Amino acid sequence: DNGSDNSGSDNTYGLTCNIINSTDVEIIAGTEKYTGDIVIPSQVIISGKTYNVTKIGERAFAWCSNLKNVYIPDSVTSIGNSAFCDCSSLTSINIPVGVTSIGNSAFYDCSSLTSIIIPDSVTSIGEDAFRNCYNLTEILVDAANPNYSSENGILYNKDKSQIIYIPQANNATSITIPQADTLIDVSELY
């Protein structure tokens, strides 16, 4: 630790940021509870220096119950744990190509989300990432994704040998059950 403060605000957007390195920042939880629509910029200026926004940090937008739509720039590669936890009014979020990881409970309790599209760049989805998204009907995965796939809105691993998540509002009339020698705990799927 060099004694310097690694956080700052970009006054243009009112976002609280943490400086990760000489070129990148992450959006972190601030005191503001965001409402309505928010467009996260690809770059911010802190103390006269321009930084790339590469990460949505842990709990950055958590408990922003009146946040409706979030637009994430292509510069972001990671969505942190609980980043949008309990954003109960969130109806739309884009996960841009370039995001490689979605953290644990990233969208937990986002009860107004109806659909999520996972781009081909995502290689890691954390535990409970979409739990309690009561109106989520489908998770769609880009066919070129190397680790995940979807069928009838249900999230599977790439070869469909494992169900990752069945959206709670999904009304699929058929589900591909992976062949297994063990029992599947259905409570873990919702």
Side-chain angles (χ1 to χ4, degrees):
D1 183 15
N2 61 10
S4 66
D5 181 7
N6 284 341
S7 65
S9 291
D10 174 81
N11 293 331
T12 307
Y13 299 100
L15 298 170
T16 304
C17 302
N18 182 50
I19 299 169
I20 299 171
N21 58 40
S22 64
T23 59
D24 301 328
V25 298
E26 68 177 327
I27 304 297
I28 61 172
T31 57
E32 181 158 347
K33 291 297 174 201
Y34 301 98
T35 62
D37 297 349
I38 188 164
V39 176
I40 298 170
S42 61
Q43 294 184 321
V44 294
I45 299 170
I46 299 172
S47 300
K49 183 168 175 16
T50 301
Y51 294 90
N52 298 313
V53 176
T54 59
K55 183 176 182 182
I56 311 282
E58 188 170 320
R59 294 189 292 277
F61 295 95
W63 306 289
C64 292
S65 59
N66 293 314
L67 185 62
K68 295 194 183 304
N69 299 292
V70 177
Y71 304 94
I72 300 173
D74 291 341
S75 61
V76 169
T77 60
S78 174
I79 297 173
N81 295 341
S82 303
F84 296 96
C85 177
D86 204 25
C87 291
S88 56
S89 297
L90 186 63
T91 59
S92 173
I93 190 155
N94 71 305
I95 299 175
V97 171
V99 168
T100 58
S101 66
I102 298 172
N104 296 334
S105 303
F107 299 99
Y108 190 99
D109 272 336
C110 291
S111 55
S112 295
L113 275 179
T114 58
S115 179
I116 298 235
I117 299 172
I118 307 292
D120 63 352
S121 57
V122 173
T123 57
S124 171
I125 298 174
E127 191 172 318
D128 294 331
F130 309 110
R131 186 171 290 260
N132 291 351
C133 294
Y134 298 113
N135 290 302
L136 187 61
T137 59
E138 63 183 358
I139 298 173
L140 304 173
V141 179
D142 186 296
N145 187 297
N147 294 341
Y148 299 100
S149 62
S150 62
E151 182 178 305
N152 295 326
I154 298 167
L155 180 63
Y156 293 88
N157 65 345
K158 184 62 176 181
D159 66 2
K160 294 189 178 100
S161 64
Q162 179 184 5
I163 297 172
I164 307 293
Y165 187 75
I166 300 173
Q168 288 180 274
N170 183 284
N171 57 4
T173 56
S174 68
I175 296 174
T176 300
I177 304 291
Q179 279 190 312
D181 294 330
T182 59
L183 293 174
I184 296 173
D185 180 357
V186 178
S187 69
E188 292 296 317
L189 303 178
Y190 289 98

Coordinates of all heavy atoms in Angstrom, one line a residue, residues 106-159:
A106 N -25.1 -12.4 -8.8 CA -25.0 -11.2 -9.5 C -26.4 -10.5 -9.8 O -26.5 -9.3 -9.7 CB -24.3 -11.4 -10.9
F107 N -27.4 -11.3 -10.1 CA -28.7 -10.8 -10.4 C -29.7 -11.3 -9.4 O -30.9 -11.4 -9.7 CB -29.1 -11.1 -11.8 CG -28.2 -10.5 -12.8 CD1 -27.2 -11.2 -13.4 CD2 -28.3 -9.1 -13.1 CE1 -26.3 -10.7 -14.3 CE2 -27.4 -8.6 -14.0 CZ -26.4 -9.3 -14.6
Y108 N -29.3 -11.8 -8.2 CA -30.2 -12.3 -7.2 C -31.3 -11.4 -6.9 O -31.1 -10.2 -6.7 CB -29.3 -12.6 -6.0 CG -30.0 -13.4 -4.9 CD1 -29.8 -14.8 -4.8 CD2 -30.9 -12.9 -4.0 CE1 -30.4 -15.6 -3.8 CE2 -31.5 -13.6 -3.0 CZ -31.2 -15.0 -2.9 OH -31.8 -15.7 -1.9
D109 N -32.5 -11.9 -6.9 CA -33.7 -11.1 -6.5 C -34.0 -10.0 -7.5 O -34.6 -9.0 -7.1 CB -33.6 -10.5 -5.1 CG -34.1 -11.4 -4.0 OD1 -35.0 -12.3 -4.4 OD2 -33.7 -11.3 -2.9
C110 N -33.6 -10.1 -8.7 CA -34.0 -9.1 -9.8 C -35.3 -9.6 -10.3 O -35.4 -10.2 -11.4 CB -32.9 -9.0 -10.9 SG -31.4 -8.2 -10.3
S111 N -36.3 -9.4 -9.6 CA -37.6 -10.1 -9.8 C -38.4 -9.5 -11.1 O -39.4 -10.2 -11.5 CB -38.5 -10.0 -8.6 OG -38.7 -8.6 -8.2
S112 N -37.9 -8.5 -11.7 CA -38.6 -8.0 -12.9 C -37.9 -8.4 -14.2 O -38.5 -8.1 -15.3 CB -38.7 -6.4 -12.8 OG -39.6 -6.0 -11.7
L113 N -36.7 -9.0 -14.1 CA -36.1 -9.4 -15.3 C -36.9 -10.6 -15.9 O -37.3 -11.5 -15.2 CB -34.7 -10.0 -15.0 CG -33.5 -9.0 -14.9 CD1 -32.2 -9.7 -14.5 CD2 -33.3 -8.2 -16.2
T114 N -37.0 -10.5 -17.2 CA -37.8 -11.6 -17.9 C -36.9 -12.4 -18.9 O -37.2 -13.5 -19.2 CB -38.9 -11.0 -18.8 OG1 -38.4 -10.1 -19.7 CG2 -40.0 -10.3 -17.9
S115 N -35.8 -11.9 -19.3 CA -34.9 -12.6 -20.2 C -33.4 -12.1 -20.0 O -33.2 -10.9 -19.8 CB -35.3 -12.3 -21.7 OG -34.5 -12.9 -22.6
I116 N -32.5 -13.0 -20.2 CA -31.1 -12.7 -20.1 C -30.4 -13.4 -21.3 O -30.7 -14.5 -21.6 CB -30.4 -13.2 -18.8 CG1 -31.1 -12.6 -17.6 CG2 -28.9 -13.1 -18.9 CD1 -30.2 -11.9 -16.7
I117 N -29.5 -12.6 -22.0 CA -28.8 -13.2 -23.1 C -27.3 -13.3 -22.6 O -26.7 -12.3 -22.2 CB -28.9 -12.3 -24.4 CG1 -30.4 -12.3 -24.8 CG2 -28.0 -12.9 -25.5 CD1 -30.7 -11.3 -25.9
I118 N -26.7 -14.5 -22.7 CA -25.3 -14.7 -22.3 C -24.5 -14.7 -23.6 O -24.7 -15.6 -24.5 CB -25.2 -16.1 -21.6 CG1 -26.2 -16.2 -20.4 CG2 -23.7 -16.3 -21.2 CD1 -25.9 -15.3 -19.3
P119 N -23.5 -13.8 -23.8 CA -22.7 -13.8 -25.0 C -21.7 -15.0 -25.0 O -21.5 -15.6 -24.0 CB -22.0 -12.5 -24.9 CG -22.0 -12.1 -23.5 CD -23.2 -12.7 -22.9
D120 N -21.1 -15.1 -26.1 CA -20.1 -16.2 -26.3 C -18.9 -16.1 -25.4 O -18.2 -17.0 -25.2 CB -19.7 -16.4 -27.7 CG -19.0 -15.2 -28.4 OD1 -18.9 -14.2 -27.7 OD2 -18.5 -15.4 -29.5
S121 N -18.6 -14.9 -24.9 CA -17.4 -14.6 -24.2 C -17.5 -15.1 -22.7 O -16.4 -15.2 -22.1 CB -17.1 -13.1 -24.2 OG -18.2 -12.4 -23.7
V122 N -18.7 -15.3 -22.2 CA -18.8 -15.7 -20.8 C -18.3 -17.1 -20.6 O -18.8 -18.1 -21.2 CB -20.3 -15.5 -20.3 CG1 -20.5 -16.1 -18.9 CG2 -20.7 -14.1 -20.3
T123 N -17.3 -17.2 -19.7 CA -16.8 -18.6 -19.4 C -17.1 -19.0 -17.9 O -16.8 -20.2 -17.6 CB -15.3 -18.6 -19.6 OG1 -14.7 -17.6 -18.8 CG2 -14.9 -18.3 -21.1
S124 N -17.6 -18.1 -17.1 CA -17.9 -18.4 -15.8 C -19.2 -17.7 -15.3 O -19.3 -16.5 -15.4 CB -16.7 -18.0 -14.9 OG -17.0 -18.1 -13.5
I125 N -20.1 -18.5 -14.7 CA -21.3 -18.0 -14.1 C -21.4 -18.5 -12.7 O -21.4 -19.7 -12.4 CB -22.6 -18.4 -14.9 CG1 -22.5 -17.9 -16.3 CG2 -23.8 -17.9 -14.2 CD1 -23.7 -18.4 -17.2
G126 N -21.4 -17.5 -11.8 CA -21.3 -17.9 -10.3 C -22.6 -18.5 -9.8 O -23.7 -18.5 -10.4
E127 N -22.5 -19.1 -8.7 CA -23.6 -19.7 -8.0 C -24.7 -18.7 -7.7 O -24.4 -17.6 -7.3 CB -23.1 -20.3 -6.7 CG -24.0 -21.3 -6.0 CD -23.4 -22.0 -4.8 OE1 -22.2 -22.4 -4.9 OE2 -24.1 -22.0 -3.8
D128 N -25.9 -19.1 -7.9 CA -27.1 -18.3 -7.6 C -27.2 -17.0 -8.4 O -27.8 -16.1 -8.0 CB -27.2 -18.0 -6.1 CG -27.5 -19.3 -5.2 OD1 -28.1 -20.2 -5.7 OD2 -27.1 -19.3 -4.1
A129 N -26.5 -17.0 -9.5 CA -26.4 -15.7 -10.3 C -27.8 -15.2 -10.6 O -28.0 -14.0 -10.7 CB -25.6 -15.9 -11.6
F130 N -28.8 -16.1 -10.9 CA -30.1 -15.7 -11.3 C -31.2 -16.1 -10.3 O -32.4 -16.1 -10.6 CB -30.4 -16.2 -12.7 CG -29.3 -15.9 -13.7 CD1 -28.5 -16.9 -14.2 CD2 -29.1 -14.6 -14.1 CE1 -27.5 -16.6 -15.1 CE2 -28.1 -14.3 -15.0 CZ -27.3 -15.3 -15.5
R131 N -30.8 -16.5 -9.1 CA -31.8 -17.0 -8.1 C -32.8 -15.9 -7.7 O -32.5 -14.8 -7.6 CB -31.1 -17.6 -6.9 CG -32.1 -18.2 -5.9 CD -31.4 -18.9 -4.8 NE -30.7 -20.1 -5.3 CZ -31.2 -21.4 -5.1 NH1 -32.3 -21.6 -4.6 NH2 -30.5 -22.4 -5.6
N132 N -34.0 -16.3 -7.5 CA -35.2 -15.5 -7.1 C -35.5 -14.4 -8.2 O -36.0 -13.3 -7.9 CB -34.9 -14.8 -5.8 CG -35.0 -15.8 -4.7 OD1 -35.4 -17.0 -4.9 ND2 -34.6 -15.4 -3.5
C133 N -35.2 -14.7 -9.4 CA -35.6 -13.8 -10.5 C -37.0 -14.4 -11.0 O -37.0 -15.1 -11.9 CB -34.6 -13.8 -11.7 SG -33.0 -13.1 -11.2
Y134 N -38.0 -14.1 -10.2 CA -39.3 -14.8 -10.3 C -40.0 -14.6 -11.7 O -40.7 -15.5 -12.0 CB -40.2 -14.2 -9.2 CG -39.7 -14.5 -7.8 CD1 -39.3 -13.5 -7.0 CD2 -39.6 -15.8 -7.4 CE1 -38.9 -13.7 -5.7 CE2 -39.1 -16.1 -6.1 CZ -38.8 -15.1 -5.3 OH -38.3 -15.3 -4.0
N135 N -39.7 -13.6 -12.4 CA -40.3 -13.4 -13.7 C -39.4 -13.8 -14.9 O -39.8 -13.6 -16.1 CB -40.8 -12.0 -13.9 CG -42.0 -11.7 -13.0 OD1 -43.0 -12.4 -13.1 ND2 -41.9 -10.8 -12.1
L136 N -38.2 -14.3 -14.6 CA -37.3 -14.7 -15.7 C -37.8 -15.9 -16.4 O -38.1 -17.0 -15.8 CB -35.9 -15.0 -15.0 CG -34.8 -15.3 -16.0 CD1 -34.5 -14.1 -16.9 CD2 -33.5 -15.7 -15.2
T137 N -38.1 -15.8 -17.7 CA -38.7 -16.9 -18.5 C -37.6 -17.6 -19.2 O -37.8 -18.8 -19.5 CB -39.7 -16.4 -19.5 OG1 -39.1 -15.4 -20.3 CG2 -40.9 -15.7 -18.7
E138 N -36.5 -16.9 -19.6 CA -35.5 -17.6 -20.4 C -34.1 -17.0 -20.2 O -34.0 -15.8 -19.9 CB -35.9 -17.5 -21.9 CG -36.0 -16.1 -22.4 CD -36.4 -16.0 -23.9 OE1 -36.6 -17.1 -24.5 OE2 -36.5 -14.9 -24.4
I139 N -33.2 -17.9 -20.4 CA -31.8 -17.5 -20.5 C -31.3 -18.0 -21.8 O -31.4 -19.2 -22.1 CB -30.9 -18.1 -19.3 CG1 -31.4 -17.6 -18.0 CG2 -29.5 -17.8 -19.5 CD1 -30.8 -18.3 -16.8
L140 N -30.9 -17.1 -22.7 CA -30.5 -17.5 -24.0 C -28.9 -17.4 -24.1 O -28.4 -16.4 -23.5 CB -31.1 -16.5 -25.0 CG -32.6 -16.5 -25.0 CD1 -33.1 -15.4 -26.0 CD2 -33.2 -17.8 -25.4
V141 N -28.3 -18.3 -24.7 CA -26.9 -18.4 -24.8 C -26.4 -18.4 -26.2 O -27.0 -19.1 -27.0 CB -26.3 -19.6 -24.1 CG1 -24.8 -19.7 -24.2 CG2 -26.7 -19.7 -22.6
D142 N -25.5 -17.5 -26.5 CA -24.9 -17.5 -27.9 C -24.4 -18.8 -28.2 O -23.7 -19.5 -27.4 CB -23.8 -16.4 -27.9 CG -23.2 -16.2 -29.3 OD1 -22.7 -17.2 -29.9 OD2 -23.4 -15.1 -29.8
A143 N -24.7 -19.3 -29.4 CA -24.3 -20.7 -29.8 C -22.8 -20.9 -29.8 O -22.3 -22.0 -29.7 CB -24.9 -21.0 -31.2
A144 N -22.0 -19.8 -30.0 CA -20.6 -19.9 -30.0 C -19.9 -20.0 -28.6 O -18.7 -20.1 -28.5 CB -20.0 -18.8 -30.8
N145 N -20.8 -19.9 -27.6 CA -20.2 -19.9 -26.2 C -19.6 -21.3 -25.9 O -20.2 -22.3 -26.2 CB -21.3 -19.6 -25.2 CG -20.7 -19.5 -23.8 OD1 -20.2 -20.5 -23.2 ND2 -20.9 -18.3 -23.2
P146 N -18.3 -21.3 -25.5 CA -17.6 -22.6 -25.3 C -18.0 -23.4 -24.0 O -17.7 -24.6 -23.9 CB -16.1 -22.2 -25.2 CG -16.2 -20.8 -24.6 CD -17.4 -20.2 -25.2
N147 N -18.7 -22.7 -23.1 CA -19.0 -23.4 -21.8 C -20.4 -23.6 -21.5 O -20.8 -24.4 -20.7 CB -18.3 -22.6 -20.6 CG -16.8 -22.6 -20.7 OD1 -16.2 -23.5 -21.3 ND2 -16.2 -21.7 -20.0
Y148 N -21.3 -22.8 -22.1 CA -22.7 -22.8 -21.8 C -23.6 -23.0 -23.0 O -23.2 -22.6 -24.1 CB -23.1 -21.6 -21.0 CG -22.4 -21.4 -19.7 CD1 -21.3 -20.6 -19.6 CD2 -22.8 -22.1 -18.6 CE1 -20.6 -20.4 -18.4 CE2 -22.1 -22.0 -17.4 CZ -21.0 -21.2 -17.3 OH -20.3 -21.0 -16.2
S149 N -24.8 -23.5 -22.8 CA -25.8 -23.6 -23.9 C -27.2 -23.4 -23.3 O -27.3 -23.4 -22.1 CB -25.7 -24.9 -24.6 OG -26.0 -26.0 -23.7
S150 N -28.2 -23.2 -24.1 CA -29.5 -23.1 -23.6 C -30.4 -23.9 -24.6 O -30.2 -24.0 -25.8 CB -30.0 -21.7 -23.5 OG -30.0 -21.0 -24.7
E151 N -31.5 -24.4 -24.0 CA -32.6 -25.0 -24.8 C -33.9 -24.7 -24.1 O -34.0 -24.9 -22.9 CB -32.3 -26.5 -24.8 CG -33.3 -27.3 -25.6 CD -33.0 -28.8 -25.7 OE1 -31.9 -29.2 -26.1 OE2 -33.9 -29.6 -25.3
N152 N -34.8 -24.2 -24.8 CA -36.1 -23.9 -24.3 C -36.0 -22.9 -23.1 O -36.7 -22.9 -22.1 CB -36.9 -25.1 -23.8 CG -37.3 -26.0 -24.9 OD1 -37.6 -25.5 -26.0 ND2 -37.3 -27.3 -24.7
G153 N -35.0 -22.0 -23.2 CA -34.7 -21.0 -22.2 C -34.0 -21.5 -20.9 O -33.9 -20.7 -20.0
I154 N -33.6 -22.7 -20.9 CA -33.0 -23.3 -19.7 C -31.5 -23.3 -19.9 O -31.0 -23.6 -21.0 CB -33.5 -24.8 -19.5 CG1 -35.0 -24.7 -19.2 CG2 -32.7 -25.5 -18.4 CD1 -35.7 -26.1 -19.3
L155 N -30.7 -22.9 -18.9 CA -29.3 -22.8 -19.0 C -28.6 -24.2 -18.7 O -28.9 -24.8 -17.6 CB -28.8 -21.8 -18.0 CG -27.3 -21.5 -17.9 CD1 -26.7 -21.0 -19.3 CD2 -26.9 -20.5 -16.8
Y156 N -27.8 -24.7 -19.6 CA -27.0 -25.9 -19.4 C -25.5 -25.6 -19.6 O -25.2 -24.6 -20.1 CB -27.4 -26.9 -20.6 CG -28.8 -27.4 -20.6 CD1 -29.8 -26.7 -21.2 CD2 -29.1 -28.6 -20.0 CE1 -31.1 -27.2 -21.2 CE2 -30.4 -29.1 -20.0 CZ -31.4 -28.4 -20.6 OH -32.7 -28.9 -20.7
N157 N -24.7 -26.6 -19.2 CA -23.3 -26.6 -19.6 C -23.3 -26.8 -21.1 O -24.3 -27.1 -21.7 CB -22.4 -27.5 -18.8 CG -22.8 -29.0 -19.0 OD1 -23.8 -29.3 -19.6 ND2 -21.9 -29.8 -18.6
K158 N -22.2 -26.7 -21.8 CA -22.1 -26.7 -23.2 C -22.7 -28.0 -23.8 O -23.5 -27.9 -24.8 CB -20.6 -26.5 -23.7 CG -20.5 -26.5 -25.2 CD -21.2 -25.3 -25.8 CE -21.0 -25.1 -27.3 NZ -21.7 -24.0 -27.8
D159 N -22.3 -29.2 -23.3 CA -22.8 -30.4 -23.9 C -24.2 -30.9 -23.3 O -24.6 -32.0 -23.6 CB -21.7 -31.5 -23.8 CG -21.5 -31.9 -22.4 OD1 -22.1 -31.5 -21.5 OD2 -20.6 -32.8 -22.3

